[in-house]
């Protein structure tokens, strides 16, 4: 008798995956575990076993585990590229995705293919679904499921190593079921996810230090004194050797300053952390005898070896070749130049403003005529939009459009359309106040109340709220970006009074657009600007 296995199309897999965002059992699970966060890891182990895996198998993935508030994704991207430059087969798990969920799980730097994603998705989902009735109907929530799927894929695809980015925090993040990573890293710490991690940087540092493991080397970038003290105490308590990375300028290089594939001064500390993580991993790979047992005396707080980076070394090549879309990224489409950065905290927005001010000024010096700057902004969740807009206000912009995204892989079913629009209007009001304008009822709502009947807002005359990302892009580009002028890209028409406001955009020699505030927004923009994301 012949057996036959049928796999449904990718879109069915994505739609099924999205149901895990609002799974009633999952939401109840979250509420139950919030007061007992250690239950999260117990639950994760149970889901892993139901999917046909055991925690011990993860030891074979030779994992590099990275957390932090700002820069952990970039650090992972640098690390993966360096080790791939050495010829190793790499796995890389990150979050969130920009356009397609497959971006979260990469093999050798590329998002896993549609066929493989679909195949492995139904393998894992099928095992969990078949066992749910004997486990109270429970299914893992969205991120938990993707984490299990990533582990399954990396094991099946036999990667030499897996670079795993923590989702939120560290101690109780579902990636922390990893027992024996080869090395751990902590990027820059700041305030974020306070409802989960705590409302002080010391509490957040405690959570981040939870990824330390006994005898496993760990590295951190330089941190403020108080969170650094917490990391030191966590390392001592766990029995983990902790090193602080040197500044990138301290690495000797025979051909001048190192060139990084990711722009922005803040990327230099991420690059240094990546160098140390890669070096530590390579030491264990090439000198395995050193790591059979943890050393008797663990250095609690010291500096690592400073590598000699020759111009042709895999270190330098890896740093220069690193790509990480949506982070300090520049795209030039004729007279319209887009500057994209997923900054979504006040600290990361400060770095974004510094990067944009420098790079946009460089572009403007070679434009040969007047340039108009436009801010395309949105924020999600509990982000402090007003604080981020205050930082952006120091950069001269044409008043910014807000958008709220309406797109399958990018959908967040836990947030209503009305909630998203309300956030946009709040952002609009904040920008108005920063410009010293009084709040008064206006008539500049770009979408009709017939489309969104629950909209009721006071709209200012200097900022614009668009119904979707594409309509905002088409308005600010004014037909001067050929990619956006394609006849297939049709949106709800805007009012004539709004079209009239675009005169400065039509008259300018160049248009510079900063897209910031949310990785979801940046992903939505890239979906329209870069054809490779739509395939």
């Amino acid at each position: 008798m012949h057996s036959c296995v049928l796999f449904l199309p990718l879109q069915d897999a994505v739609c099924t995956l999205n149901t895990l965002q609002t799974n009633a059992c999952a939401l109840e699970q979250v509420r139950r575990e919030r007061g007992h966060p250690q239950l999260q890891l117990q639950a994760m182990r149970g889901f892993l076993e139901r999917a046909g895996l055991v925690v011990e198998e993860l030891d074979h993935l030779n994992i590099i585990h990275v957390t932090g508030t700002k820069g952990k994704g970039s650090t992972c991207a640098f690390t993966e590229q360096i080790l791939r430059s050495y010829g190793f087969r790499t796995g890389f798990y990150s979050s969130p995705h920009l356009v397609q969920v497959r971006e979260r799980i990469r093999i050798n730097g590329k998002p896993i293919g549609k066929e493989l994603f679909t195949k492995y998705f139904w393998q894992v989902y099928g095992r969990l679904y078949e066992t749910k009735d004997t486990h109270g109907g429970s299914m893992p929530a969205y991120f938990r499921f993707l984490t299990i799927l990533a582990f399954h894929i990396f094991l099946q695809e036999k990667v030499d190593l897996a670079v795993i980015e923590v989702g939120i925090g560290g101690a109780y993040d579902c990636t922390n079921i990893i027992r024996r990573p080869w090395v751990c890293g902590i990027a820059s710490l700041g305030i974020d996810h306070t409802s989960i991690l705590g409302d002080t940087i010391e509490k957040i540092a405690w959570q981040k230090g939870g990824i330390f493991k006994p005898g496993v080397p760990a590295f951190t970038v330089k941190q403020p004194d108080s969170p650094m003290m917490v990391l030191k105490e966590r390392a001592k308590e766990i029995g983990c050797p902790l090193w602080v990375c040197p500044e990138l300028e301290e690495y000797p290089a025979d051909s001048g300053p190192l060139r990084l594939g990711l722009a922005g001064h803040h990327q230099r500390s991420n690059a240094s952390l990546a160098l140390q993580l890669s070096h530590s991993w390579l030491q264990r790979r090439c000198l395995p005898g050193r790591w059979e047992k943890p050393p008797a005396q663990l250095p609690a707080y010291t500096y690592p070896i400073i590598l000699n980076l020759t111009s042709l070394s895999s270190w330098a090549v890896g740093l220069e070749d690193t790509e990480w879309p949506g982070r300090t990224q520049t795209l030039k489409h004729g007279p319209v130049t887009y500057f994209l950065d997923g900054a979504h905290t006040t600290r990361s927005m400060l770095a974004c403003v510094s990067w944009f001010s420098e790079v946009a000024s460089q572009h403007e010096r070679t434009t040969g005529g007047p340039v108009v700057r436009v801010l395309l902004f949105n924020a999600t969740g509990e982000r402090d939009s007003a604080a981020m807009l205050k930082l952006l206000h120091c950069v001269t912009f044409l008043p910014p459009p807000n958008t709220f995204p309406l797109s399958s892989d990018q959908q967040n079913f836990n947030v209503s359309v009305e909630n998203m629009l309300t956030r946009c209007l709040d952002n609009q009001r904040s920008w108005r106040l920063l410009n010293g304008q009084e709040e008064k009822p206006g008539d500049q709502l770009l979408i009709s109340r017939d489309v969104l009947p629950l909209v009721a807002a006071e709209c200012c005359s200097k900022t614009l709220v668009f119904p979707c990302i594409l309509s905002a892009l088409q308005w600010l580009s004014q037909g001067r970006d050929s990619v956006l002028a394609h006849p297939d890209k049709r949106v709800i028409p805007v009012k004539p009074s709004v079209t009239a406001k675009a005169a400065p955009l039509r008259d300018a020699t160049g248009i510079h657009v900063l897209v910031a505030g949310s990785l979801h927004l940046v992903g939505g923009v890239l979906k329209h600007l870069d054809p490779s994301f739509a395939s």
Side-chain angles (χ1 to χ4, degrees):
M1 182 174 65
H2 297 283
S3 62
C4 179
V5 180
L6 298 178
F7 294 111
L8 298 172
L10 172 66
Q11 194 56 39
D12 288 337
V14 172
C15 290
T16 302
L17 173 64
N18 284 338
T19 66
L20 299 178
Q21 293 192 47
T22 53
N23 182 282
C25 292
L27 292 176
E28 175 58 31
Q29 205 170 270
V30 170
R31 283 191 289 269
R32 186 173 64 250
E33 294 167 359
R34 187 166 291 168
H36 304 281
Q38 64 273 15
L39 293 179
Q40 297 178 30
L41 295 180
Q42 293 178 19
M44 183 63 180
R45 291 187 191 96
F47 287 125
L48 193 73
E49 290 172 5
R50 283 171 53 190
L53 302 173
V54 292
V55 174
E56 288 75 15
E57 288 183 88
L58 306 185
D59 297 345
H60 303 304
L61 290 176
N62 309 332
I63 288 170
I64 299 173
H65 202 193
V66 182
T67 189
T69 306
K70 181 172 71 73
K72 64 182 187 293
S74 298
T75 296
C76 288
F78 279 126
T79 304
E80 186 276 333
Q81 178 66 62
I82 290 169
L83 293 173
R84 180 154 44 95
S85 297
Y86 270 91
F88 293 107
R89 180 171 172 81
T90 62
F92 178 14
Y93 177 56
S94 64
S95 60
H97 58 276
L98 292 175
V99 179
Q100 300 185 37
V101 68
R102 296 182 293 110
E103 299 165 29
R104 295 184 182 224
I105 303 172
R106 296 173 181 258
I107 303 291
N108 279 339
K110 302 293 184 184
I112 186 169
K114 294 179 181 179
E115 294 78 11
L116 282 180
F117 180 88
T118 304
K119 168 188 167 183
Y120 289 130
F121 174 88
W122 291 115
Q123 284 180 2
V124 172
Y125 186 87
R127 293 168 185 170
L128 288 163
Y129 190 82
E130 289 168 2
T131 56
K132 74 170 188 173
D133 290 342
T134 57
H135 291 81
S138 65
M139 289 287 286
Y142 188 87
F143 185 76
R144 281 181 179 172
F145 178 88
L146 286 172
T147 303
I148 295 168
L149 180 61
F151 289 146
H152 177 66
I153 289 173
F154 295 154
L155 287 166
Q156 293 298 311
E157 291 296 307
K158 296 179 170 56
V159 298
D160 294 316
L161 70 132
V163 180
I164 305 295
E165 179 189 357
V166 167
I168 295 176
Y172 305 118
D173 184 76
C174 64
T175 65
N176 207 32
I177 59 168
I178 299 164
R179 302 184 317 155
R180 296 176 182 171
W182 277 23
V183 61
C184 299
I186 297 185
S188 179
L189 298 181
I191 301 294
D192 198 13
H193 299 294
T194 54
S195 63
I196 299 172
L197 304 180
D199 55 2
T200 68
I201 196 168
E202 292 81 12
K203 292 177 181 177
I204 291 170
W206 189 92
Q207 293 279 353
K208 304 290 184 182
I211 70 168
F212 294 158
K213 300 295 185 297
V216 174
F219 297 85
T220 177
V221 302
K222 292 180 179 178
Q223 310 283 3
D225 289 343
S226 57
M228 183 64 84
M229 183 62 67
V230 174
L231 293 180
K232 289 168 60 178
E233 290 171 353
R234 286 286 265 164
K236 183 178 180 180
E237 166 193 329
I238 293 170
C240 162
L242 175 64
W243 288 275
V244 180
C245 297
E247 300 291 345
L248 197 62
E249 291 73 18
E250 296 179 49
Y251 294 83
D254 64 357
S255 57
L258 290 166
R259 292 185 292 271
L260 304 183
L262 305 184
H265 185 78
H266 59 287
Q267 295 291 359
R268 301 186 72 77
S269 63
N270 299 330
S272 179
L273 177 55
L275 287 169
Q276 296 299 331
L277 294 173
S278 302
H279 180 255
S280 179
W281 190 92
L282 284 167
Q283 279 189 313
R284 178 164 180 176
R285 176 79 176 201
C286 300
L287 302 169
R290 288 186 54 189
W291 302 100
E292 290 177 359
K293 297 179 180 179
Q297 296 295 323
L298 297 175
Y301 183 69
T302 182
Y303 281 85
I305 297 170
I306 297 181
L307 311 170
N308 185 8
L309 304 176
T310 62
S311 58
L312 298 179
S313 72
S314 294
W315 309 101
V317 172
L319 291 176
E320 186 171 1
D321 288 350
T322 298
E323 296 179 356
W324 194 225
R327 288 81 169 177
T328 58
Q329 180 182 6
T330 302
L331 288 176
K332 185 168 177 59
H333 287 195
V336 187
T337 305
Y338 302 91
F339 304 87
L340 303 105
D341 190 62
H344 53 269
T345 67
T346 52
R347 189 168 180 183
S348 60
M349 190 60 74
L350 192 61
C352 172
V353 167
S354 174
W355 162 73
F356 173 73
S357 299
E358 180 180 352
V359 71
S361 296
Q362 293 171 356
H363 280 262
E364 287 163 10
R365 285 194 287 270
T366 60
T367 300
V371 173
V372 172
R373 292 181 175 182
V374 182
L375 170 64
L376 183 57
F377 180 87
N378 197 9
T380 59
E382 301 174 354
R383 312 296 182 194
D384 190 345
S385 301
M388 288 191 284
L389 287 169
K390 187 174 182 180
L391 293 172
L392 289 162
H393 189 253
C394 69
V395 184
T396 303
F397 286 109
L398 190 71
N402 285 269
T403 68
F404 61 96
L406 300 172
S407 79
S408 108
D409 281 27
Q410 295 174 297
Q411 283 179 300
N412 181 348
F413 295 101
N414 294 316
V415 181
S416 67
V417 171
E418 291 77 21
N419 179 270
M420 289 189 285
L421 182 56
T422 299
R423 286 298 304 270
C424 286
L425 296 171
D426 287 342
N427 296 339
Q428 188 182 52
R429 193 172 296 112
S430 296
W431 190 264
R432 182 185 180 88
L433 292 173
L434 287 167
N435 282 280
Q437 297 170 325
E438 296 179 3
E439 290 193 48
K440 58 183 179 181
D443 61 355
Q444 297 304 318
L445 191 61
L446 273 65
I447 46 184
S448 71
R449 298 175 191 274
D450 294 333
V451 177
L452 289 170
L454 297 182
V455 171
E458 298 177 346
C459 296
C460 67
S461 60
K462 297 277 187 176
T463 59
L464 305 173
V465 175
F466 286 83
C468 65
I469 291 170
L470 181 57
S471 62
L473 290 173
Q474 290 187 336
W475 178 85
L476 60 85
S477 63
Q478 288 297 299
R480 303 175 71 182
D481 183 344
S482 60
V483 173
L484 297 172
H486 195 279
D488 289 343
K489 295 183 179 291
R490 296 181 179 179
V491 295
I492 302 170
V494 299
K495 297 179 180 180
S497 58
V498 174
T499 302
K501 293 180 182 294
L505 296 167
R506 292 190 291 271
D507 297 339
T509 303
I511 302 170
H512 286 179
V513 184
L514 174 61
V515 184
S518 163
L519 278 168
H520 298 287
L521 172 63
V522 169
V525 169
L526 281 172
K527 183 177 181 179
H528 295 297
L529 298 182
D530 187 343
S532 68
F533 278 95
S535 60

